[in-house]
Amino acid sequence: MGIALYYYYAETGFQHHAFKVEENGLVELQKKYIISDIELISQDLLFFSKHHNVIGLFSNGETIDSRSKELLQKELLLFSATQKLYDQIRVLDKNGMEIVRVNFNNNNPSIVPDSKLQNKKQRYYFSDTIQLERGELFVSPLDLNIERRQIEQPLKPMIRFGTPVFDHLGRKSGIVLLNYLGKHL
């Protein structure tokens, strides 16, 4: 009986160790995946913050350049359709007003019309991002998306990534914001 118990405990100890090693490997793999995604998102964000049509939006001072806006909307629509990572891609002015927004809409991306654009000045992600310097990135905690002061249904977990935009003269003019779909995590 004692020998049988010894083998039983030895075998369960071995299995426990094997499970632990396997789980640690899975955690490491997931960690690498998340880091890779964050690097990709950061590159996308910095690319758009320096994109000529984003900067061109602000080339007329307080007046938004309509040609740059139209071209940017088309590019962001195509980008959203091919990347499939972002629920929303937005450019906001320095006062928190959305200038351009593309919604993913469950794999049916669309440009949000001007009449539906919102001011996000009071949202933490705007105030935190507009304070950053050139090349710095804001990353929000994972939270739920809010539209028109209501939690969006069905629930959409989001991580927001933002960076400031500077005009041709080096003045901070607004921000670029990517709403990363948390379901990918």
Side-chain angles (χ1 to χ4, degrees):
M1 176 77 168
I3 294 174
L5 280 175
Y6 171 78
Y7 282 116
Y8 171 77
Y9 285 118
E11 181 63 24
T12 57
F14 175 74
Q15 287 176 350
H16 177 73
H17 178 71
F19 287 139
K20 193 173 183 179
V21 168
E22 183 178 340
E23 289 299 315
N24 284 339
L26 290 173
V27 168
E28 275 303 309
L29 187 62
Q30 187 65 26
K31 178 180 164 185
K32 287 178 183 178
Y33 175 79
I34 291 170
I35 289 170
S36 174
D37 259 12
I38 290 173
E39 287 173 358
L40 174 68
I41 296 162
S42 300
Q43 291 168 4
D44 289 346
L45 189 60
L46 291 173
F47 170 79
F48 281 117
S49 74
K50 297 172 184 169
H51 192 283
H52 64 279
N53 285 327
V54 173
I55 293 170
L57 289 172
F58 304 106
S59 64
N60 296 329
E62 298 295 317
T63 306
I64 300 303
D65 181 75
S66 59
R67 180 71 180 139
S68 291
K69 180 176 179 174
E70 183 182 325
L71 291 171
L72 181 62
Q73 286 172 321
K74 290 176 183 176
E75 289 178 26
L76 293 180
L77 188 65
L78 179 61
F79 180 78
S80 179
T82 56
Q83 283 294 80
K84 301 179 185 197
L85 289 176
Y86 308 113
D87 187 56
Q88 296 176 352
I89 304 171
R90 298 182 274 178
V91 178
L92 290 77
D93 68 17
K94 64 183 177 187
N95 299 311
M97 187 65 200
E98 294 175 330
I99 299 169
V100 172
R101 183 168 113 203
V102 170
N103 288 346
F104 184 63
N105 294 326
N106 294 316
N107 209 20
N108 187 24
S110 65
I111 297 167
V112 175
D114 289 351
S115 62
K116 302 266 185 188
L117 296 176
Q118 302 172 58
N119 191 302
K120 299 293 185 175
K121 186 176 187 171
Q122 301 303 318
R123 299 288 297 162
Y124 72 91
Y125 53 80
F126 173 77
S127 57
D128 288 353
T129 303
I130 198 69
Q131 294 178 39
L132 299 176
E133 296 302 321
R134 188 183 307 269
E136 292 182 325
L137 304 176
F138 165 78
V139 181
S140 77
L142 181 68
D143 65 10
L144 297 175
N145 200 44
I146 295 176
E147 289 298 330
R148 309 253 178 236
R149 299 185 179 160
Q150 298 288 320
I151 294 176
E152 190 174 1
Q153 298 291 332
L155 299 177
K156 276 191 194 172
M158 293 290 154
I159 300 176
R160 291 166 191 81
F161 293 81
T163 194
V165 174
F166 295 82
D167 68 12
H168 292 294
L169 300 174
R171 296 175 296 204
K172 195 180 297 182
S173 302
I175 69 169
V176 176
L177 199 64
L178 302 175
N179 282 24
Y180 177 78
L181 289 163
K183 71 179 182 179
H184 294 298
L185 293 177

